[in-house]
Amino acid sequence: MKKIILLFFFAFFMCSCMAENLISDNNKDLNILTLSSSPLKEGNNLWVGTFQLVFNDMKENVLKLDKIEFVGEDQTLELKGLNNKEFDSTMLNESSYYTSYGKTSPKAKEEINKGIRKKFSEKSDIVNSLDWSEGKGRYYAYAMLKKSFSFKSAFDELEKDSFNGSANKFDYFGISSKSKKQLDDNVRVLYYNDKNDYAVSLLTKEGDIVYLYRYDNISSLQSGYKRMLAQSENFRETRSFQELDTLKIPNLKIKGQKDYKELCNKQIKGTDLYFSTALETIELDLDRKGGKVKSEAILMTELMMALPQETQKPRHFDFDKPFVLFLIDKDKNDPYLALFVKNLSNLQ
């Protein structure tokens, strides 16, 4: 019986290893995770290592701390994960990322813009919209991750189809029974246990690898990746893509942003600083020819004396429900008129 390999979006781009909107966000139900070990949430989940890069630089090179903690707070699991450095620059090729850190200044902003333009021919979606004025306690750590890859041969466009039983139909690419044999060379089977448990890797001209993994019981991206590798290690059947095998992958176009509010406006232990900005953006495109990834992240600090007061959150004094009005004469202490307004039907 023909194996039908329907590949779910949950993909790890091992390109040498593995919100208040500043950019347009077309994935409102997209959960951008802090860590690859973060528990999956309902809906789509995405993790990229860019924010970890800036966290590492801020901790080690700017603040020169063993770990980042906040005054009066216990470490959350996600903060512990960031401090444990689950991801770092050794998991990337130097050609894949750009980093910068130091004192905030207009010159630093221009150096970042020049640096990413020179390295990636890119413009930043976030840098120019932030405050780069100089001042005591104003530091930053910035990173851009940029990757593009092309499959060895462009896959075939397939017929539109539903996704996970959806009423809507979507664009797919892959290999059908009518595809040319040469497309088989794009694919390496990692394992195939049954129609709901399988994985493949897609080979690229650049040598990068795209892993695609299908399994129902995934608790985190990290644990899913480890299980996929373990299953592949134990697989004893052929890893070549066979004549009766098929491949079906949805086109993807993702643009999103995460604002790490939980890290902001709190005094960092051992310093008189707080994080004023903590942002990460991600763009991902995948189609029959290949894919591209662009992600930025930035952390910025300020002195505690510049912290807004507790009342910084907006307060909406909307008297559009029952309320009382008091009128007090000049230099007097007691009201001369009091009105409890329950409805406006006869008051206007």
Side-chain angles (χ1 to χ4, degrees):
M1 183 177 178
K2 179 184 290 187
K3 296 180 193 172
I4 300 180
I5 304 180
L6 174 59
L7 290 168
F8 185 68
F9 152 51
F10 172 41
F12 290 88
F13 291 91
M14 303 307 295
C15 311
S16 311
C17 73
M18 177 163 224
E20 292 66 20
N21 293 329
L22 296 177
I23 65 171
S24 175
D25 186 341
N26 67 344
N27 295 87
K28 300 301 183 184
D29 62 345
L30 177 69
N31 298 300
I32 298 179
L33 304 179
T34 306
L35 308 164
S36 63
S37 62
S38 297
L40 296 186
K41 301 177 182 179
E42 189 66 30
N44 298 318
N45 290 259
L46 173 65
W47 170 82
V48 62
T50 324
F51 189 77
Q52 180 76 71
L53 294 180
V54 299
F55 188 91
N56 296 345
D57 275 341
M58 181 60 73
K59 181 183 72 170
E60 298 167 7
N61 299 317
V62 177
L63 302 179
K64 301 188 185 303
L65 298 173
D66 292 330
K67 58 184 176 181
I68 290 177
E69 297 178 288
F70 300 114
V71 173
E73 288 192 11
D74 294 330
Q75 282 197 82
T76 63
L77 288 176
E78 293 199 328
L79 185 56
K80 285 181 181 178
L82 288 169
N83 277 313
N84 289 337
K85 206 157 82 167
E86 289 186 3
F87 181 84
D88 63 31
S89 59
T90 65
M91 300 176 182
L92 291 166
N93 286 319
E94 272 194 36
S95 60
S96 302
Y97 69 95
Y98 170 91
T99 60
S100 177
Y101 59 85
K103 292 185 177 181
T104 303
S105 69
K107 183 179 179 181
K109 180 183 75 170
E110 290 309 310
E111 287 177 350
I112 291 172
N113 285 326
K114 289 178 182 177
I116 58 176
R117 186 163 58 244
K118 181 178 179 180
K119 188 160 191 173
F120 300 127
S121 298
E122 277 289 352
K123 293 182 179 179
S124 172
D125 292 312
I126 60 177
V127 166
N128 293 331
S129 61
L130 300 173
D131 179 7
W132 287 87
S133 59
E134 298 181 54
K136 188 177 180 181
R138 295 180 60 83
Y139 298 97
Y140 77 94
Y142 168 86
M144 176 181 282
L145 189 156
K146 175 77 183 294
K147 288 295 301 182
S148 61
F149 52 87
S150 302
F151 298 127
K152 288 191 170 183
S153 300
F155 286 102
D156 287 345
E157 290 183 4
L158 304 180
E159 290 185 9
K160 284 179 176 287
D161 203 353
S162 63
F163 182 81
N164 199 29
S166 65
N168 294 332
K169 292 191 174 183
F170 303 93
D171 294 322
Y172 285 86
F173 66 90
I175 301 174
S176 69
S177 59
K178 300 177 182 179
S179 297
K180 294 180 180 179
K181 178 66 176 174
Q182 72 182 60
L183 291 185
D184 295 352
D185 295 334
N186 280 0
V187 187
R188 182 173 179 267
V189 176
L190 295 183
Y191 77 91
Y192 187 93
N193 290 338
D194 56 48
K195 65 180 182 179
N196 290 308
D197 185 8
Y198 46 81
V200 299
S201 60
L202 308 181
L203 308 182
T204 67
K205 295 176 181 177
E206 296 80 7
D208 300 337
I209 301 174
V210 178
Y211 289 124
L212 295 166
Y213 172 51
R214 167 75 183 99
Y215 187 60
D216 284 326
N217 300 314
I218 301 170
S219 59
S220 72
L221 300 177
Q222 185 184 81
S223 64
Y225 182 64
K226 290 179 178 178
R227 181 185 181 276
M228 181 191 74
L229 294 182
Q231 292 295 311
S232 177
E233 183 71 22
N234 296 324
F235 188 62
R236 296 293 177 263
E237 298 179 31
T238 179
R239 294 183 185 273
S240 59
F241 202 76
Q242 302 294 295
E243 184 178 353
L244 295 180
D245 296 341
T246 64
L247 178 73
K248 188 176 183 182
I249 306 169
N251 287 21
L252 298 173
K253 193 173 186 65
I254 294 171
K255 181 179 283 191
Q257 176 177 302
K258 181 167 184 177
D259 183 352
Y260 291 84
K261 294 179 180 179
E262 67 274 16
L263 299 180
C264 293
N265 301 329
K266 301 172 183 179
Q267 185 176 357
I268 303 166
K269 277 188 181 181
T271 77
D272 54 358
L273 306 175
Y274 72 98
F275 292 130
S276 57
T277 302
L279 293 172
E280 181 178 48
T281 68
I282 174 67
E283 295 179 57
L284 166 66
D285 291 285
L286 185 71
D287 60 28
R288 71 187 193 93
K289 294 181 179 180
K292 56 184 179 180
V293 177
K294 176 188 173 185
S295 176
E296 292 182 89
I298 193 163
L299 266 173
M300 303 180 90
T301 67
E302 292 188 26
L303 281 176
M304 281 300 297
M305 68 178 67
L307 261 175
Q309 299 299 312
E310 286 293 322
T311 55
Q312 64 176 316
K313 295 181 180 178
R315 300 180 295 178
H316 304 290
F317 301 102
D318 299 329
F319 295 100
D320 52 7
K321 294 178 181 178
F323 70 96
V324 178
L325 177 148
F326 298 105
L327 297 180
I328 301 175
D329 206 358
K330 183 179 178 180
D331 298 328
K332 302 299 179 182
N333 296 319
D334 299 316
Y336 70 86
L337 184 150
L339 172 67
F340 171 57
V341 179
K342 190 172 183 178
N343 66 71
L344 296 177
S345 57
N346 296 312
L347 298 182
Q348 290 189 347

